[in-house]
Amino acid sequence: MAEAFGFIGLGAMGSRLARRIVNGGLPLVVHDLSADAVASMVASGATDAESPRAIADVATTVFLCMTNLKAA
């Protein structure tokens, strides 16, 4: 995957921001503690990552949208 964006945290705000990236046709790799949130983004065209580290390995830019670090 070339020049992918990463997004960690797909809650109320993060999911909306991430969806804008996907809808813009940009490659996006996502991670969240909620499997449902990840599945929704994958259905929209994102790729899932099993951990934040997996996103860091492939993404050139990573966005974080979490209430605290425990959410990672």
Short mmCIF file of all heavy atoms in Angstrom, two decimals:
data_model
loop_
_atom_site.label_atom_id
_atom_site.label_comp_id
_atom_site.label_asym_id
_atom_site.label_seq_id
_atom_site.Cartn_x
_atom_site.Cartn_y
_atom_site.Cartn_z
N MET A 1 0.86 -1.18 0.00
CA MET A 1 0.00 0.00 0.00
C MET A 1 0.90 1.24 0.00
O MET A 1 1.76 1.39 0.86
CB MET A 1 -0.90 -0.02 1.23
CG MET A 1 -1.85 1.14 1.29
SD MET A 1 -2.94 1.10 2.73
CE MET A 1 -3.89 -0.35 2.38
N ALA A 2 0.72 2.11 -0.94
CA ALA A 2 1.56 3.30 -1.06
C ALA A 2 0.87 4.53 -0.46
O ALA A 2 -0.32 4.73 -0.66
CB ALA A 2 1.88 3.55 -2.53
N GLU A 3 1.66 5.32 0.28
CA GLU A 3 1.15 6.60 0.80
C GLU A 3 -0.19 6.48 1.52
O GLU A 3 -1.11 7.22 1.23
CB GLU A 3 1.04 7.62 -0.34
CG GLU A 3 2.35 7.94 -1.01
CD GLU A 3 3.24 8.85 -0.20
OE1 GLU A 3 2.74 9.69 0.56
OE2 GLU A 3 4.46 8.71 -0.33
N ALA A 4 -0.29 5.53 2.41
CA ALA A 4 -1.54 5.34 3.15
C ALA A 4 -1.62 6.28 4.34
O ALA A 4 -0.62 6.69 4.91
CB ALA A 4 -1.66 3.90 3.64
N PHE A 5 -2.83 6.64 4.70
CA PHE A 5 -3.10 7.36 5.93
C PHE A 5 -3.55 6.35 6.97
O PHE A 5 -4.14 5.33 6.65
CB PHE A 5 -4.22 8.40 5.73
CG PHE A 5 -3.80 9.57 4.89
CD1 PHE A 5 -4.05 9.58 3.54
CD2 PHE A 5 -3.15 10.65 5.46
CE1 PHE A 5 -3.67 10.66 2.76
CE2 PHE A 5 -2.76 11.73 4.70
CZ PHE A 5 -3.02 11.73 3.34
N GLY A 6 -3.28 6.64 8.24
CA GLY A 6 -3.74 5.79 9.32
C GLY A 6 -4.66 6.57 10.24
O GLY A 6 -4.51 7.80 10.38
N PHE A 7 -5.61 5.87 10.83
CA PHE A 7 -6.53 6.52 11.76
C PHE A 7 -6.76 5.59 12.93
O PHE A 7 -7.19 4.45 12.76
CB PHE A 7 -7.86 6.85 11.08
CG PHE A 7 -8.50 8.08 11.63
CD1 PHE A 7 -8.44 9.29 10.96
CD2 PHE A 7 -9.15 8.05 12.86
CE1 PHE A 7 -9.01 10.44 11.49
CE2 PHE A 7 -9.72 9.19 13.39
CZ PHE A 7 -9.64 10.39 12.70
N ILE A 8 -6.50 6.09 14.13
CA ILE A 8 -6.71 5.34 15.36
C ILE A 8 -7.76 6.08 16.17
O ILE A 8 -7.57 7.24 16.53
CB ILE A 8 -5.41 5.20 16.16
CG1 ILE A 8 -4.35 4.50 15.32
CG2 ILE A 8 -5.66 4.46 17.47
CD1 ILE A 8 -2.96 4.52 15.93
N GLY A 9 -8.86 5.42 16.44
CA GLY A 9 -9.96 6.02 17.20
C GLY A 9 -11.12 6.36 16.30
O GLY A 9 -11.10 7.38 15.61
N LEU A 10 -12.11 5.49 16.27
CA LEU A 10 -13.26 5.66 15.37
C LEU A 10 -14.55 5.88 16.13
O LEU A 10 -15.58 5.32 15.80
CB LEU A 10 -13.38 4.42 14.46
CG LEU A 10 -12.16 4.13 13.59
CD1 LEU A 10 -12.32 2.78 12.91
CD2 LEU A 10 -11.95 5.23 12.58
N GLY A 11 -14.49 6.74 17.13
CA GLY A 11 -15.68 7.06 17.90
C GLY A 11 -16.54 8.09 17.19
O GLY A 11 -16.51 8.22 15.96
N ALA A 12 -17.27 8.85 17.96
CA ALA A 12 -18.22 9.83 17.39
C ALA A 12 -17.54 10.83 16.46
O ALA A 12 -18.04 11.12 15.38
CB ALA A 12 -18.93 10.57 18.52
N MET A 13 -16.40 11.35 16.84
CA MET A 13 -15.71 12.32 16.00
C MET A 13 -14.77 11.63 15.01
O MET A 13 -14.74 11.96 13.83
CB MET A 13 -14.92 13.32 16.85
CG MET A 13 -14.27 14.40 16.02
SD MET A 13 -13.62 15.80 16.96
CE MET A 13 -12.46 15.03 18.05
N GLY A 14 -13.99 10.64 15.49
CA GLY A 14 -13.01 9.98 14.64
C GLY A 14 -13.62 9.28 13.44
O GLY A 14 -13.05 9.31 12.35
N SER A 15 -14.76 8.66 13.63
CA SER A 15 -15.38 7.95 12.50
C SER A 15 -15.79 8.92 11.39
O SER A 15 -15.66 8.61 10.21
CB SER A 15 -16.60 7.15 12.98
OG SER A 15 -17.60 8.00 13.51
N ARG A 16 -16.24 10.09 11.78
CA ARG A 16 -16.64 11.08 10.76
C ARG A 16 -15.43 11.62 10.00
O ARG A 16 -15.48 11.79 8.78
CB ARG A 16 -17.42 12.20 11.42
CG ARG A 16 -18.82 11.77 11.86
CD ARG A 16 -19.48 12.83 12.75
NE ARG A 16 -20.85 12.50 13.07
CZ ARG A 16 -21.21 11.68 14.05
NH1 ARG A 16 -20.30 11.05 14.77
NH2 ARG A 16 -22.49 11.45 14.29
N LEU A 17 -14.36 11.86 10.73
CA LEU A 17 -13.14 12.35 10.08
C LEU A 17 -12.55 11.27 9.16
O LEU A 17 -12.15 11.55 8.03
CB LEU A 17 -12.12 12.77 11.13
CG LEU A 17 -12.51 13.96 12.01
CD1 LEU A 17 -11.53 14.11 13.16
CD2 LEU A 17 -12.57 15.23 11.19
N ALA A 18 -12.49 10.05 9.65
CA ALA A 18 -11.94 8.94 8.86
C ALA A 18 -12.78 8.70 7.61
O ALA A 18 -12.25 8.44 6.53
CB ALA A 18 -11.88 7.68 9.72
N ARG A 19 -14.09 8.79 7.74
CA ARG A 19 -14.97 8.57 6.58
C ARG A 19 -14.72 9.61 5.50
O ARG A 19 -14.78 9.31 4.31
CB ARG A 19 -16.43 8.57 7.01
CG ARG A 19 -17.32 8.04 5.91
CD ARG A 19 -18.67 7.55 6.37
NE ARG A 19 -18.71 6.78 7.59
CZ ARG A 19 -18.50 5.46 7.66
NH1 ARG A 19 -18.19 4.79 6.58
NH2 ARG A 19 -18.61 4.84 8.81
N ARG A 20 -14.39 10.83 5.88
CA ARG A 20 -14.08 11.87 4.89
C ARG A 20 -12.83 11.50 4.10
O ARG A 20 -12.76 11.75 2.90
CB ARG A 20 -13.88 13.23 5.57
CG ARG A 20 -15.07 13.77 6.33
CD ARG A 20 -16.05 14.46 5.50
NE ARG A 20 -15.43 15.61 4.85
CZ ARG A 20 -16.09 16.48 4.14
NH1 ARG A 20 -17.39 16.35 4.00
NH2 ARG A 20 -15.49 17.48 3.57
N ILE A 21 -11.87 10.91 4.77
CA ILE A 21 -10.65 10.48 4.09
C ILE A 21 -10.96 9.38 3.08
O ILE A 21 -10.54 9.43 1.93
CB ILE A 21 -9.59 10.01 5.11
CG1 ILE A 21 -9.14 11.19 5.98
CG2 ILE A 21 -8.40 9.36 4.41
CD1 ILE A 21 -8.29 10.80 7.17
N VAL A 22 -11.72 8.38 3.52
CA VAL A 22 -12.09 7.27 2.64
C VAL A 22 -12.95 7.77 1.47
O VAL A 22 -12.72 7.41 0.31
CB VAL A 22 -12.84 6.16 3.42
CG1 VAL A 22 -13.46 5.15 2.48
CG2 VAL A 22 -11.89 5.47 4.36
N ASN A 23 -13.92 8.60 1.77
CA ASN A 23 -14.80 9.12 0.71
C ASN A 23 -14.04 9.99 -0.29
O ASN A 23 -14.48 10.15 -1.42
CB ASN A 23 -15.97 9.90 1.30
CG ASN A 23 -16.97 9.01 2.00
OD1 ASN A 23 -16.96 7.79 1.81
ND2 ASN A 23 -17.83 9.58 2.82
N GLY A 24 -12.91 10.53 0.14
CA GLY A 24 -12.07 11.31 -0.76
C GLY A 24 -11.20 10.44 -1.65
O GLY A 24 -10.42 10.95 -2.45
N GLY A 25 -11.32 9.13 -1.49
CA GLY A 25 -10.59 8.21 -2.34
C GLY A 25 -9.17 7.93 -1.90
O GLY A 25 -8.38 7.35 -2.65
N LEU A 26 -8.83 8.32 -0.68
CA LEU A 26 -7.47 8.11 -0.19
C LEU A 26 -7.37 6.78 0.55
O LEU A 26 -8.32 6.38 1.23
CB LEU A 26 -7.07 9.26 0.74
CG LEU A 26 -7.09 10.64 0.10
CD1 LEU A 26 -6.94 11.72 1.15
CD2 LEU A 26 -6.01 10.74 -0.96
N PRO A 27 -6.24 6.09 0.44
CA PRO A 27 -6.08 4.83 1.16
C PRO A 27 -5.99 5.08 2.67
O PRO A 27 -5.25 5.97 3.10
CB PRO A 27 -4.79 4.24 0.60
CG PRO A 27 -4.07 5.37 -0.03
CD PRO A 27 -5.10 6.41 -0.39
N LEU A 28 -6.76 4.32 3.44
CA LEU A 28 -6.83 4.52 4.88
C LEU A 28 -6.76 3.19 5.60
O LEU A 28 -7.47 2.24 5.25
CB LEU A 28 -8.13 5.24 5.26
CG LEU A 28 -8.33 5.55 6.74
CD1 LEU A 28 -7.30 6.57 7.22
CD2 LEU A 28 -9.73 6.05 7.00
N VAL A 29 -5.91 3.13 6.63
CA VAL A 29 -5.79 1.96 7.50
C VAL A 29 -6.29 2.39 8.87
O VAL A 29 -5.89 3.44 9.38
CB VAL A 29 -4.33 1.48 7.58
CG1 VAL A 29 -4.22 0.23 8.42
CG2 VAL A 29 -3.76 1.25 6.19
N VAL A 30 -7.18 1.59 9.48
CA VAL A 30 -7.83 2.01 10.72
C VAL A 30 -7.65 0.99 11.84
O VAL A 30 -7.45 -0.20 11.60
CB VAL A 30 -9.34 2.26 10.51
CG1 VAL A 30 -9.57 3.39 9.52
CG2 VAL A 30 -10.05 1.00 10.04
N HIS A 31 -7.77 1.51 13.08
CA HIS A 31 -7.77 0.66 14.27
C HIS A 31 -8.67 1.29 15.32
O HIS A 31 -8.69 2.51 15.48
CB HIS A 31 -6.36 0.51 14.84
CG HIS A 31 -6.33 -0.29 16.10
ND1 HIS A 31 -6.51 -1.65 16.11
CD2 HIS A 31 -6.17 0.08 17.39
CE1 HIS A 31 -6.45 -2.08 17.36
NE2 HIS A 31 -6.24 -1.04 18.15
N ASP A 32 -9.41 0.45 16.01
CA ASP A 32 -10.26 0.90 17.11
C ASP A 32 -10.51 -0.30 18.02
O ASP A 32 -10.44 -1.45 17.56
CB ASP A 32 -11.59 1.46 16.59
CG ASP A 32 -12.34 2.23 17.65
OD1 ASP A 32 -13.11 1.61 18.41
OD2 ASP A 32 -12.15 3.45 17.73
N LEU A 33 -10.83 -0.06 19.27
CA LEU A 33 -11.18 -1.16 20.18
C LEU A 33 -12.53 -1.77 19.83
O LEU A 33 -12.79 -2.92 20.18
CB LEU A 33 -11.18 -0.65 21.62
CG LEU A 33 -9.82 -0.18 22.16
CD1 LEU A 33 -9.98 0.37 23.57
CD2 LEU A 33 -8.80 -1.29 22.10
N SER A 34 -13.37 -1.02 19.13
CA SER A 34 -14.68 -1.51 18.73
C SER A 34 -14.61 -2.20 17.36
O SER A 34 -14.34 -1.54 16.35
CB SER A 34 -15.68 -0.35 18.66
OG SER A 34 -16.85 -0.74 17.98
N ALA A 35 -14.86 -3.50 17.35
CA ALA A 35 -14.86 -4.24 16.10
C ALA A 35 -15.93 -3.73 15.15
O ALA A 35 -15.75 -3.72 13.93
CB ALA A 35 -15.06 -5.73 16.36
N ASP A 36 -17.06 -3.28 15.70
CA ASP A 36 -18.14 -2.74 14.86
C ASP A 36 -17.71 -1.46 14.16
O ASP A 36 -18.03 -1.25 12.98
CB ASP A 36 -19.40 -2.47 15.70
CG ASP A 36 -20.07 -3.74 16.17
OD1 ASP A 36 -19.82 -4.82 15.57
OD2 ASP A 36 -20.86 -3.66 17.12
N ALA A 37 -16.99 -0.59 14.85
CA ALA A 37 -16.51 0.65 14.25
C ALA A 37 -15.54 0.36 13.12
O ALA A 37 -15.60 0.98 12.05
CB ALA A 37 -15.86 1.54 15.31
N VAL A 38 -14.64 -0.60 13.34
CA VAL A 38 -13.68 -0.98 12.31
C VAL A 38 -14.41 -1.59 11.12
O VAL A 38 -14.14 -1.25 9.96
CB VAL A 38 -12.62 -1.95 12.87
CG1 VAL A 38 -11.75 -2.50 11.75
CG2 VAL A 38 -11.77 -1.26 13.92
N ALA A 39 -15.36 -2.48 11.38
CA ALA A 39 -16.10 -3.14 10.30
C ALA A 39 -16.84 -2.12 9.44
O ALA A 39 -16.90 -2.25 8.21
CB ALA A 39 -17.08 -4.16 10.87
N SER A 40 -17.39 -1.10 10.06
CA SER A 40 -18.10 -0.06 9.32
C SER A 40 -17.16 0.68 8.38
O SER A 40 -17.49 0.96 7.23
CB SER A 40 -18.76 0.92 10.30
OG SER A 40 -19.36 1.98 9.60
N MET A 41 -15.96 0.99 8.85
CA MET A 41 -14.99 1.69 8.01
C MET A 41 -14.46 0.78 6.90
O MET A 41 -14.26 1.23 5.78
CB MET A 41 -13.83 2.22 8.86
CG MET A 41 -14.20 3.38 9.75
SD MET A 41 -14.97 4.78 8.90
CE MET A 41 -13.74 5.16 7.70
N VAL A 42 -14.26 -0.49 7.20
CA VAL A 42 -13.80 -1.44 6.18
C VAL A 42 -14.86 -1.57 5.08
O VAL A 42 -14.53 -1.61 3.89
CB VAL A 42 -13.46 -2.80 6.81
CG1 VAL A 42 -13.26 -3.88 5.75
CG2 VAL A 42 -12.20 -2.68 7.68
N ALA A 43 -16.13 -1.58 5.48
CA ALA A 43 -17.21 -1.64 4.49
C ALA A 43 -17.22 -0.41 3.59
O ALA A 43 -17.69 -0.47 2.45
CB ALA A 43 -18.55 -1.79 5.21
N SER A 44 -16.67 0.69 4.09
CA SER A 44 -16.61 1.92 3.30
C SER A 44 -15.35 2.02 2.45
O SER A 44 -15.18 2.97 1.69
CB SER A 44 -16.67 3.14 4.23
OG SER A 44 -17.92 3.18 4.87
N GLY A 45 -14.42 1.06 2.64
CA GLY A 45 -13.22 1.05 1.81
C GLY A 45 -11.91 1.14 2.53
O GLY A 45 -10.84 1.09 1.91
N ALA A 46 -11.93 1.25 3.86
CA ALA A 46 -10.68 1.30 4.62
C ALA A 46 -10.13 -0.12 4.79
O ALA A 46 -10.82 -1.10 4.55
CB ALA A 46 -10.93 1.93 5.99
N THR A 47 -8.90 -0.19 5.25
CA THR A 47 -8.26 -1.46 5.57
C THR A 47 -8.09 -1.51 7.08
O THR A 47 -7.72 -0.51 7.69
CB THR A 47 -6.87 -1.55 4.89
OG1 THR A 47 -7.03 -1.40 3.49
CG2 THR A 47 -6.20 -2.87 5.19
N ASP A 48 -8.34 -2.69 7.67
CA ASP A 48 -8.18 -2.79 9.12
C ASP A 48 -6.76 -3.17 9.49
O ASP A 48 -6.05 -3.81 8.72
CB ASP A 48 -9.19 -3.77 9.71
CG ASP A 48 -8.94 -5.20 9.28
OD1 ASP A 48 -8.44 -5.39 8.16
OD2 ASP A 48 -9.24 -6.11 10.05
N ALA A 49 -6.34 -2.73 10.67
CA ALA A 49 -5.04 -3.07 11.22
C ALA A 49 -5.27 -3.69 12.58
O ALA A 49 -6.15 -3.26 13.33
CB ALA A 49 -4.17 -1.82 11.36
N GLU A 50 -4.48 -4.69 12.92
CA GLU A 50 -4.70 -5.37 14.19
C GLU A 50 -4.17 -4.62 15.40
O GLU A 50 -4.47 -4.97 16.53
CB GLU A 50 -4.13 -6.78 14.15
CG GLU A 50 -2.66 -6.85 13.85
CD GLU A 50 -2.18 -8.28 13.66
OE1 GLU A 50 -2.68 -8.96 12.77
OE2 GLU A 50 -1.32 -8.69 14.44
N SER A 51 -3.38 -3.56 15.15
CA SER A 51 -2.83 -2.79 16.26
C SER A 51 -2.40 -1.41 15.77
O SER A 51 -2.21 -1.21 14.57
CB SER A 51 -1.61 -3.51 16.84
OG SER A 51 -0.54 -3.49 15.92
N PRO A 52 -2.21 -0.49 16.70
CA PRO A 52 -1.65 0.82 16.30
C PRO A 52 -0.28 0.67 15.66
O PRO A 52 0.06 1.39 14.72
CB PRO A 52 -1.58 1.59 17.62
CG PRO A 52 -2.67 0.99 18.46
CD PRO A 52 -2.64 -0.47 18.10
N ARG A 53 0.52 -0.27 16.15
CA ARG A 53 1.85 -0.49 15.57
C ARG A 53 1.74 -0.90 14.10
O ARG A 53 2.54 -0.46 13.26
CB ARG A 53 2.58 -1.57 16.36
CG ARG A 53 3.92 -1.94 15.81
CD ARG A 53 4.84 -0.75 15.87
NE ARG A 53 5.94 -0.93 14.93
CZ ARG A 53 6.95 -0.13 14.85
NH1 ARG A 53 7.03 0.92 15.64
NH2 ARG A 53 7.90 -0.34 14.00
N ALA A 54 0.75 -1.73 13.76
CA ALA A 54 0.57 -2.15 12.37
C ALA A 54 0.25 -0.95 11.48
O ALA A 54 0.66 -0.92 10.32
CB ALA A 54 -0.54 -3.20 12.29
N ILE A 55 -0.46 0.02 12.01
CA ILE A 55 -0.73 1.25 11.24
C ILE A 55 0.57 2.02 11.03
O ILE A 55 0.86 2.47 9.92
CB ILE A 55 -1.79 2.12 11.93
CG1 ILE A 55 -3.16 1.45 11.83
CG2 ILE A 55 -1.83 3.52 11.31
CD1 ILE A 55 -4.27 2.20 12.50
N ALA A 56 1.35 2.15 12.08
CA ALA A 56 2.61 2.89 11.98
C ALA A 56 3.56 2.27 10.96
O ALA A 56 4.35 2.98 10.34
CB ALA A 56 3.28 2.96 13.35
N ASP A 57 3.45 0.97 10.77
CA ASP A 57 4.32 0.28 9.82
C ASP A 57 3.98 0.60 8.36
O ASP A 57 4.84 0.48 7.50
CB ASP A 57 4.25 -1.24 10.02
CG ASP A 57 4.95 -1.69 11.29
OD1 ASP A 57 5.78 -0.92 11.83
OD2 ASP A 57 4.65 -2.81 11.75
N VAL A 58 2.73 1.00 8.09
CA VAL A 58 2.33 1.20 6.68
C VAL A 58 1.89 2.62 6.35
O VAL A 58 1.85 2.99 5.18
CB VAL A 58 1.20 0.22 6.27
CG1 VAL A 58 1.67 -1.21 6.37
CG2 VAL A 58 -0.06 0.44 7.09
N ALA A 59 1.54 3.41 7.33
CA ALA A 59 0.99 4.75 7.06
C ALA A 59 2.07 5.82 7.10
O ALA A 59 2.98 5.79 7.93
CB ALA A 59 -0.10 5.08 8.07
N THR A 60 1.96 6.78 6.19
CA THR A 60 2.88 7.90 6.19
C THR A 60 2.41 9.01 7.14
O THR A 60 3.21 9.79 7.63
CB THR A 60 3.03 8.49 4.78
OG1 THR A 60 1.75 8.83 4.27
CG2 THR A 60 3.68 7.49 3.85
N THR A 61 1.12 9.06 7.38
CA THR A 61 0.51 10.02 8.31
C THR A 61 -0.50 9.28 9.16
O THR A 61 -1.32 8.53 8.62
CB THR A 61 -0.20 11.16 7.54
OG1 THR A 61 0.73 11.81 6.68
CG2 THR A 61 -0.79 12.19 8.49
N VAL A 62 -0.46 9.49 10.48
CA VAL A 62 -1.39 8.81 11.38
C VAL A 62 -2.16 9.86 12.19
O VAL A 62 -1.56 10.74 12.80
CB VAL A 62 -0.65 7.85 12.35
CG1 VAL A 62 -1.64 7.18 13.29
CG2 VAL A 62 0.14 6.81 11.56
N PHE A 63 -3.48 9.74 12.19
CA PHE A 63 -4.35 10.61 12.97
C PHE A 63 -4.81 9.86 14.20
O PHE A 63 -5.14 8.68 14.12
CB PHE A 63 -5.58 11.02 12.16
CG PHE A 63 -5.26 11.78 10.92
CD1 PHE A 63 -5.12 11.12 9.70
CD2 PHE A 63 -5.09 13.16 10.95
CE1 PHE A 63 -4.82 11.82 8.54
CE2 PHE A 63 -4.79 13.86 9.80
CZ PHE A 63 -4.66 13.19 8.59
N LEU A 64 -4.82 10.52 15.35
CA LEU A 64 -5.32 9.94 16.59
C LEU A 64 -6.53 10.72 17.05
O LEU A 64 -6.50 11.95 17.09
CB LEU A 64 -4.25 10.02 17.68
CG LEU A 64 -2.91 9.37 17.38
CD1 LEU A 64 -1.92 9.68 18.49
CD2 LEU A 64 -3.06 7.89 17.20
N CYS A 65 -7.58 10.01 17.40
CA CYS A 65 -8.79 10.65 17.89
C CYS A 65 -9.33 9.79 19.04
O CYS A 65 -10.21 8.98 18.86
CB CYS A 65 -9.80 10.79 16.75
SG CYS A 65 -11.15 11.91 17.14
N MET A 66 -8.73 10.00 20.22
CA MET A 66 -9.05 9.17 21.38
C MET A 66 -9.31 10.04 22.59
O MET A 66 -8.76 11.13 22.70
CB MET A 66 -7.89 8.22 21.69
CG MET A 66 -7.51 7.33 20.52
SD MET A 66 -6.03 6.34 20.85
CE MET A 66 -4.78 7.59 21.04
N THR A 67 -10.10 9.53 23.50
CA THR A 67 -10.39 10.26 24.72
C THR A 67 -9.20 10.23 25.68
O THR A 67 -9.00 11.14 26.46
CB THR A 67 -11.63 9.70 25.43
OG1 THR A 67 -11.42 8.31 25.68
CG2 THR A 67 -12.87 9.91 24.59
N ASN A 68 -8.40 9.15 25.62
CA ASN A 68 -7.19 9.02 26.44
C ASN A 68 -6.32 7.91 25.86
O ASN A 68 -6.72 7.19 24.95
CB ASN A 68 -7.55 8.74 27.91
CG ASN A 68 -8.37 7.49 28.06
OD1 ASN A 68 -8.02 6.42 27.57
ND2 ASN A 68 -9.51 7.61 28.74
N LEU A 69 -5.12 7.75 26.38
CA LEU A 69 -4.21 6.75 25.83
C LEU A 69 -4.63 5.31 26.09
O LEU A 69 -4.23 4.41 25.39
CB LEU A 69 -2.80 6.99 26.37
CG LEU A 69 -2.12 8.24 25.85
CD1 LEU A 69 -0.74 8.43 26.49
CD2 LEU A 69 -1.99 8.21 24.35
N LYS A 70 -5.49 5.10 27.09
CA LYS A 70 -6.00 3.76 27.33
C LYS A 70 -6.87 3.27 26.18
O LYS A 70 -7.05 2.08 25.98
CB LYS A 70 -6.79 3.72 28.63
CG LYS A 70 -5.95 3.92 29.85
CD LYS A 70 -6.80 3.93 31.10
CE LYS A 70 -5.95 4.28 32.29
NZ LYS A 70 -6.74 4.37 33.51
N ALA A 71 -7.40 4.20 25.40
CA ALA A 71 -8.25 3.84 24.27
C ALA A 71 -7.46 3.26 23.11
O ALA A 71 -8.04 2.69 22.20
CB ALA A 71 -9.04 5.06 23.81
N ALA A 72 -6.15 3.41 23.11
CA ALA A 72 -5.31 2.87 22.03
C ALA A 72 -5.20 1.38 22.22
O ALA A 72 -4.94 0.63 21.39
CB ALA A 72 -3.95 3.52 22.01
#
